[in-house]
Structure formats: structure tokens, C-alpha cells
């Protein structure tokens, strides 16, 4: 919320104005407070439009229309002065996020939540239609989620069903992506209650999937798909909800159920004043918006004070919803399209035209959830840093999809990102199997995909057109491991324990380490392979030491590394010992106990205490309450690499084409906090920058960059 300007009124219609919520070519919306302390969103037209008879008629119609709507689920008009010298309209202030923000931040809603939301909004629309009105702009940005339920807002483009339009008959009124086919083809004159039902169906499909049922992109193409294509309802597995949306999105207006019929058709309901039908993270978001204290600026009298009224000058704190202008602006969203030219940002809570998206596909709830969450946080911090720039050429947001570390979920996530034309590029996935499964989808869409933790040595050649492996492979890490363990005067033979429990990554690490030592050094190796499930490693460790191994490397999983550490600690050996970076973590310390001391790890991940990570670590602690976990810095870098390429290509209000962005990333050189990034012809990372970690005094410590030599 902005402070009042000298030209702003201090009082309007008994409302003390506290600040500006938004402004446009026709006027401004303010946060106001009545004498009894009630908050309101107050719309005031500019003086130059007050004498325009047509504008006054439109504004009067808006006020009259909003007053006739009687529903607890539609925002209520609290006052108006359409005949005053400066016409104004006040509505109740709803301190809550827009549905668009809730889905963007928390992800799609479960089927039950969508059904409850649909029933309550159907009741709001039924009240609109019973008042002889058509809303004409039902969309997620025009639904606010309050602490006692949703509210349908913005009757600024509503019209009486039998009235002559004040705009041209061929004008498309509403928001592409939520328009009914008849709105797209016949303009405002064809709009009826059935169009609102279609728009509500689009809104509910968006709530259930996180994407528009007819896609994104150029307006002409979007309208064409709305008229001719079937809606995209993939991912909606609930048969009742899918059938409901299919009926609401019928191309024929007469075939759609009425809003009143929807109320009876949807079985789900929720008691008045309850939001326990929403997911916990959405409820938390609503609670934050509804209870966060916001310190208002000093409210001094302005030049435009109402005559004879003395404005108070003291400062105060006002308890209201929303720590920021976006949440506050959502409560005042009663703007007609002509009223606030940019009503998507100032009034409805929707994205700015130059707000583009970076995707994160990650395992956020599966076996590698810790890695996925760290990567999501790294990307969000990079976007936060970019958005904090005063000279930023555009605004970014993050869209994260949880693939749960499963290939089927991963494919669905990739398809959603590929269809979303607002998504410029994606960071992820978290691991090799999901990456392998989704490469074809990203490749076909030419959507840049940058992974920082999929370390498989080879992927299908056909899938490398838009895929960037911004991390050394497990095989490539064999070089810094060699440098640390073998290129030293006290080591001649490396004992390699290749534990099949570690899977393909362990095999690659152990195999390539054996190979490069024999071909690039005068040292030797003594390898031993053990089957997966081998519990007692003591005999194998004894054999490695019996063959004069003076350094030790375990290629396997965390549990095997802990068993190897305990077996080695039971011998007199005290030389260099190392395991794969995948064994790093608290469980290794717990399972190995005192035997973990002295073990080292070569990892693609920089440590949180590295000097280059100082700024990122401070931002991470401020936002998340702790130091960044492994892989956060690498995802931060991947997002930075993408943002640098996007910034270089951005022109006017249009995002770069995906193909152009792929080429730009491929040609980029980028200095990150974890390493420098440049890619070869196969879009693999050039160089093998790695980092050394070790167990010292019972804890993992960052020891610095892993030693490098020419490979």
C-alpha cells in the first residue's frame, strides 16, 4: 500500500483514507476506515471524469448492480456517493489472498476443496443472476479467500441482463482463458448467465490443476482453443469433479447447468465461517493475511481535504490482513477495466503482464524430499533477489510441482510445465530416473530444463536439445576423488570397495575411478565388488588392507558407507578414507558413530560456510530460519543462469521464445556461488568443479574446493 499523495483526499463519504491500494487512468482505490473502525476499499473517480455523463452512468450502474447482490459469498457494498462531486463506492475489506495467489503459492487444491469452493461460488453467482445481473469476469483473481470463506468480487463489468451495453457490442469483456466461447465469438452482446457458469468451470479447473483449461499464450490462439478445443482436465482423477467440470465447460450455453442448479448438484458443503475444507498451507496463508499487523505511514492532512473537516495527524498501527500491497489490493478489487487500466495488478491480484515464471520440478515429498526442498528454496531465493532489484526489467515468480520422486508423477509434472506458456524454464528434476522419464516431454516443447542433481553419465541423444546437465556426473567426480586420494606422496594403492547396493551411480564412480587411476597416474588400485545386501564388510575391508591399500574409497550407499567405516575403524588403519557424497548426512554420523571421524567426501555441492555463499546463506537464514542445505546453492545458481539469459533476451513486454532461450543458455558463461557455468556441445557442464567435505569433531565440515588438476 502506498502513502497518500498531496493531491489525494483525506476523507471520502465518512471514510478516513489510510493509503492508496491502486490507481489507473480513471481513478484510484483507497483503504478507508469509518468512524466506528470498519475497514473498506473505497473507489474514487478522478475529477476530470466526474463531468462525463456516460462515465457517471456506468459508475452508477456498477454501484446499483453491486448493491443488488445478496450473498455471504459476494463482497458487500457498504456505501456509495455516485452523485457526489467526486463519485465514490465503498465495499467491505476482505483481508485474504486471491485464489490465484493461493494456487500459485500452495499448488492445486484437492478435489473436495474444489467442490466446496465451487458450491459457495455457485451460490454467489446465483445471487448475481437473481439480481438480474451477469458478472462477466469470473476468474481466480476475482475470488478472495477470507478467514470465513471465499468472496466473489469485482462487479465493475457486470451488466443488467436486459440492458443495452454501454460499450461496443463487439467488445470482448472479461479475461481470456476464462471467457465462454460465445463471449469470444460474439462479444459483449452475447453474454448471459451461462457464460458466468463457463467461467466458473474454468476457475475450478484452474484450482484443481494449477493451469488454465485452454492453455496460455497469445490471446487470439487462446480464444480459438476456447471455441474449438476440448478443455484440458488431465490430472483431475475424481470422477464426480471431472463430470461436473465437463458439464460447466460445454460449448453450448443451453447445455450448461445454471448457477442455482450447481448448488444442488454439488454434494460437498462447509459450515458458515469455516475454512477447514481447504488444505493446511492455504489456511495458514489466509491466517497470515488475516492477522499480520501492518504499520501504516503517518496519516497527515492532504491538500485535497474535504472542506471543514479536520484530519487526525497521529500515527498508529492497524491490525488487518496482508503484509503487503498485493494482499491489500486484492480487498479493493472492484475496478472496471476502464477504471484501473492495469486492474490485474492493482485490483484483482493477478500477475503483471511482465510477470514470468521459473518452474521447479522436484521431489518434495518422496525419498529425496530433502534435496528437492533445498533446490526449491534455492530457486526462490534467486527469484527474490532478482525481484528486489529496482532496475529489474520484469518480475518473476516460482511455480513448484512435486513429482514425489516417481516417474509417473514426473511425467505429469513435465506435461503441465510444457503446456504452461508463462513458464520460461524449469530447474530439476531431483534424480536420474525421473529426469530420464521426462526428457522427451521437455525436448518436444523446447522448454529449457536445467538439472543440478541428476548425475547420470549418459542420456538419450535425442533428448539433449533443451536439457542442461549443470552438475558433474558421478563418473566425472572420479577425477577430484583421484586428486585427493592418490595424487599424494603417501599413497600408492587405492582400495576400492564397490558396493552394489549403491546402484548405477556407485558403479559409475567405482568403475571410472579404477580406470583413470590406471591410465593417468603411476598408482594402482585394488577393487572389490560386493553384492547388494552384504551386511558384514569386515572380511572385505581386511582383504583390501591385506593387499597393501594405503587409501580407501567406498562406492555405495549411506548404510554401506557406515558399515565400511565401522569395519575400518576396527583395524589399525588410519589413512585417507572417502565415500560418495550421497552418503553425507546426519544418518551417516548416527550409523557410523565414532568411526565416522576423518571420513571425507567429494561433492558437487558447495558448503554453507564457503565465502562465496555468505550472502545466500544470510538470505536463507532470514527466510527459512537456518543454513542452506546441500543443493540449495546449486539450484540458486541454476536460476541465476536462467535469469541472466532471460534478461539478455527480454524485449518490451514479451518473454523470449523457448528456442531462443535454449540457445542463449547454451552459449552462456555464468559465475555462480558454487562454480562457473558453461556448457559444451552436448549441453553438459564444462569443467569438474567439486567441493571437499569431511567429518571433523563429530560433524560435517566444509573443507574447501576439491583439488583440481588437468584431466
Amino acid at each position: 500500500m502506498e502513502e497518500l499523495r498531496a493531491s489525494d483526499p483525506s476523507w471520502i463519504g465518512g471514510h478516513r483514507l489510510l493509503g492508496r491500494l491502486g490507481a489507473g487512468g480513471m481513478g484510484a482505490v483507497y483503504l478507508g476506515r469509518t468512524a466506528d473502525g470498519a475497514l473498506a476499499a473505497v473507489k474514487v473517480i478522478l475529477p476530470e471524469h466526474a463531468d462525463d455523463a456516460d462515465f457517471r452512468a456506468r459508475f452508477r450502474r456498477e454501484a446499483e448492480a453491486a448493491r443488488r447482490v445478496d450473498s455471504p459469498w459476494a463482497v458487500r457494498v457498504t456505501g456509495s456517493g455516485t452523485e457526489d462531486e467526486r463519485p465514490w463506492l465503498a465495499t467491505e475489506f476482505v483481508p485474504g489472498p486471491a485464489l490465484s495467489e493461493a494456487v500459485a503459492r500452495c499448488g492445486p487444491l484437492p478435489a473436495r476443496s474444489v467442490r466446496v469452493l465451487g458450491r459457495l461460488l455457485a451460490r454467489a453467482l446465483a445471487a448475481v443472476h437473481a439480481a438480474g445481473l451477469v458478472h462477466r469476469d469470473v476468474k481466480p483473481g476475482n475470488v478472495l479467500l477470507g478467514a470465513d470463506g471465499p468472496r466473489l468480487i469485482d462487479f465493475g463489468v457486470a451488466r443488467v441482463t436486459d440492458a443495452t451495453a454501454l460499450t461496443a457490442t463487439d467488445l470482448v469483456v472479461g479475461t481470456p482463458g476464462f471467457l465462454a466461447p460465445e463471449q469470444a465469438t460474439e462479444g459483449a452482446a452475447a453474454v448471459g448467465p451461462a457464460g458466468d457458469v463457463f467461467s466458473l468451470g474454468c476457475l475450478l479447473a484452474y484450482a484443481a490443476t494449477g493451469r488454465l483449461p485452454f492453455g496460455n499464450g497469445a490471446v487470439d490462439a487462446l480464444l480459438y482453443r476456447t471455441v474449438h478445443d476440448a478443455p484440458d482436465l488431465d490430472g483431475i482423477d475424481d470422477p464426480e469433479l471431472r463430470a461436473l467440470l465437463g458439464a460447466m465447460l460445454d460449448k453450448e450455453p443451453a447445455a450448461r447447468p445454471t448457477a442455482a442448479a450447481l448448488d444442488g448438484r454439488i454434494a460437498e458443503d462447509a459450515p458458515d465461517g469455516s475454512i477447514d475444507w481447504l488444505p493446511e498451507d492455504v489456511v495458514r496463508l489466509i491466517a497470515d493475511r488475516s492477522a499480520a499487523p501492518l504499520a501504516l505511514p503517518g496519516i497527515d492532512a492532504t491538500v485535497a481535504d474535504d472542506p471543514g473537516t479536520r484530519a487526525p495527524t497521529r500515527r498508529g498501527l492497524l491490525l488487518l490482513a496482508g503484509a503487503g500491497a498485493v494482499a491489500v489490493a486484492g480487498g479493493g478489487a472492484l475496478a472496471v477495466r476502464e477504471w484501473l487500466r492495469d486492474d490485474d495488478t492493482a485490483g484483482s491480484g493477478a500477475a503483471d503482464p511482465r510477470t514470468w515464471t521459473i518452474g521447479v520440478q522436484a521431489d518434495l515429498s518422496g525419498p529425496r524430499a530433502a534435496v528437492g526442498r533445498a533446490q526449491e528454496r534455492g530457486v526462490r531465493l534467486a527469484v527474490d533477489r532478482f525481484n528486489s532489484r529496482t532496475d529489474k526489467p520484469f518480475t518473476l515468480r516460482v511455480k513448484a510441482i512435486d513429482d514425489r520422486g516417481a516417474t509417473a508423477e514426473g511425467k505429469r509434472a513435465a506435461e503441465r510445465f510444457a503446456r504452461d506458456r508463462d513458464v520460461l524454464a524449469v530447474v530439476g528434476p531431483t534424480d536420474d530416473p525421473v529426469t530420464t522419464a521426462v526428457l522427451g516431454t521437455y525436448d518436444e516443447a523446447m522448454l529449457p530444463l536445467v538439472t543440478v542433481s541428476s548425475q547420470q553419465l549418459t542420456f538419450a541423444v535425442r533428448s539433449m536439445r533443451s536439457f542442461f546437465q549443470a552438475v558433474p556426473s558421478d563418473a566425472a567426480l572420479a577425477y577430484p576423488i583421484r586428486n585427493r586420494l592418490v595424487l599424494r606422496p603417501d599413497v600408492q594403492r587405492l582400495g576400492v570397495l564397490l558396493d552394489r547396493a549403491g546402484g548405477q551411480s556407485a558403479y559409475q564412480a567405482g568403475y571410472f575411478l579404477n580406470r583413470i587411476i590406471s591410465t593417468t597416474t603411476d598408482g594402482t588400485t585394488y577393487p572389490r565388488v560386493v553384492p547388494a545386501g552384504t551386511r558384514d564388510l569386515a572380511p572385505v575391508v581386511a582383504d583390501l588392507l591385506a593387499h597393501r591399500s594405503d587409501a580407501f574409497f567406498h562406492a555405495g550407499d549411506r548404510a554401506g558407507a557406515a558399515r565400511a567405516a565401522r569395519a575400518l575403524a576396527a583395524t589399525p588403519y588410519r589413512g585417507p578414507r572417502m565415500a560418495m557424497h550421497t552418503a553425507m548426512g546426519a544418518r551417516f554420523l548416527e550409523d557410523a558413530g565414532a568411526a565416522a571421524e576423518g571420513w571425507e567426501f567429494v561433492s558437487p555441492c558447495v558448503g554453507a560456510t564457503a565465502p562465496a555463499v555468505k550472502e545466500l546463506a544470510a538470505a536463507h537464514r532470514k527466510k527459512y530460519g537456518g543454513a542452506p542445505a546441500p543443493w540449495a546453492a546449486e539450484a540458486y545458481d541454476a536460476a541465476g543462469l536462467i535469469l541472466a539469459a532471460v534478461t539478455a533476451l527480454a524485449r518490451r513486454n514479451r518473454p523470449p521464445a523457448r528456442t531462443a532461450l535454449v540457445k542463449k543458455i547454451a552459449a552462456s558463461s555464468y559465475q555462480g556461488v558454487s562454480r562457473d557455468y558453461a556448457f559444451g556441445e552436448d549441453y553438459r557442464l564444462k569443467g569438474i568443479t567439486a567441493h571437499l567435505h569431511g567429518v571433523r569433531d563429530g560433524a560435517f565440515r566444509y573443507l574447501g574446493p576439491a583439488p583440481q588438476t588437468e584431466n
Side-chain angles (χ1 to χ4, degrees), residues 163-546:
T164 301
L166 292 177
T167 54
T169 56
D170 60 350
L171 176 67
V172 175
V173 178
T175 303
F178 299 93
L179 291 173
E182 60 271 22
Q183 282 177 276
T185 57
E186 302 178 48
V191 176
D196 283 347
V197 171
F198 187 94
S199 298
L200 179 60
C202 293
L203 179 150
L204 297 178
Y206 167 82
T209 66
R211 62 181 187 275
L212 302 184
F214 298 100
N216 294 278
V219 172
D220 289 348
L222 182 53
L223 295 180
Y224 179 89
R225 291 194 295 270
T226 302
V227 174
H228 298 285
D229 292 357
D232 173 15
L233 302 179
D234 286 353
I236 301 178
D237 300 324
D238 184 272
E240 179 184 345
L241 179 58
R242 195 178 181 96
L244 176 71
L245 295 179
M248 297 172 71
L249 297 175
D250 197 291
K251 304 295 185 187
E252 293 297 327
R256 300 170 203 151
T258 65
L262 285 173
D263 186 11
R265 178 167 176 168
I266 303 173
E268 296 287 356
D269 206 345
D272 291 353
S274 169
I275 54 172
D276 60 2
W277 47 274
L278 286 167
E280 181 180 347
D281 51 352
V282 178
V283 173
R284 190 180 305 114
L285 177 63
I286 295 171
D288 290 343
R289 291 285 191 271
S290 301
L294 178 64
L296 294 176
I299 306 171
D300 298 324
T302 60
V303 173
D305 251 353
D306 284 0
T309 304
R310 183 178 180 182
T313 60
R314 64 183 177 84
R315 294 175 178 265
L317 288 177
L318 178 65
L319 189 65
L320 52 89
V326 173
V328 176
L334 272 175
V336 291
R337 195 163 302 280
E338 309 97 302
W339 170 262
L340 295 180
R341 292 293 186 185
D342 193 16
D343 76 319
D344 277 346
T345 53
S348 69
D352 183 271
R354 287 175 64 86
T355 298
W356 304 329
T357 303
I358 298 294
V360 178
Q361 179 178 342
D363 178 359
L364 302 177
S365 60
R368 297 194 72 192
V371 173
R373 286 194 297 269
Q375 292 182 8
E376 180 190 2
R377 290 178 172 184
V379 173
R380 291 192 183 279
L381 288 171
V383 169
D384 286 350
R385 184 173 184 269
F386 180 89
N387 286 340
S388 69
R389 291 171 42 185
T390 58
D391 64 339
K392 62 181 181 293
F394 49 85
T395 303
L396 285 162
R397 61 184 175 186
V398 177
K399 178 179 180 179
I401 299 180
D402 180 10
D403 62 26
R404 303 175 186 173
T407 55
E409 293 287 338
K411 290 178 180 178
R412 284 192 284 270
E415 289 166 358
R416 288 173 58 187
F417 277 131
R419 286 193 298 263
D420 189 341
R421 301 306 300 181
D422 286 338
V423 176
L424 302 177
V426 175
V427 177
T430 307
D431 54 13
D432 294 333
V434 176
T435 299
T436 302
V438 303
L439 282 178
T441 300
Y442 285 105
D443 185 56
E444 182 178 351
M446 278 303 287
L447 177 58
L449 178 68
V450 183
T451 184
V452 298
S453 58
S454 295
Q455 296 180 258
Q456 188 168 302
L457 178 61
T458 58
F459 295 93
V461 174
R462 70 174 184 85
S463 299
M464 299 298 285
R465 293 194 307 158
S466 64
F467 172 60
F468 296 88
Q469 192 174 16
V471 60
S473 68
D474 289 307
L477 289 180
Y479 288 98
I481 292 171
R482 173 205 65 183
N483 299 346
R484 179 65 175 176
L485 290 180
V486 179
L487 299 186
R488 49 193 294 169
D490 58 335
V491 172
Q492 291 296 317
R493 172 169 290 183
L494 176 66
V496 179
L497 197 167
L498 203 165
D499 190 338
R500 290 292 194 183
Q504 185 68 16
S505 60
Y507 173 79
Q508 289 181 8
Y511 173 81
F512 275 90
L513 187 59
N514 270 295
R515 181 177 177 181
I516 65 172
I517 288 175
S518 63
T519 57
T520 64
T521 76
D522 57 2
T524 60
T525 62
Y526 182 72
R528 281 290 307 268
V529 179
V530 298
T534 303
R535 305 289 301 176
D536 185 6
L537 296 181
V540 182
V541 168
D543 183 55
L544 290 168
L545 298 179

Side-chain angles (χ1 to χ4, degrees), residues 124-160:
L125 276 182
V128 171
H129 299 162
L133 302 171
V134 183
H135 188 284
R136 302 202 299 175
D137 199 19
V138 178
K139 61 182 179 181
N142 279 342
V143 173
L144 298 179
L145 301 178
D148 56 352
R151 295 290 193 285
L152 180 64
I153 66 172
D154 198 350
F155 298 94
V157 294
R159 68 174 273 202
V160 179

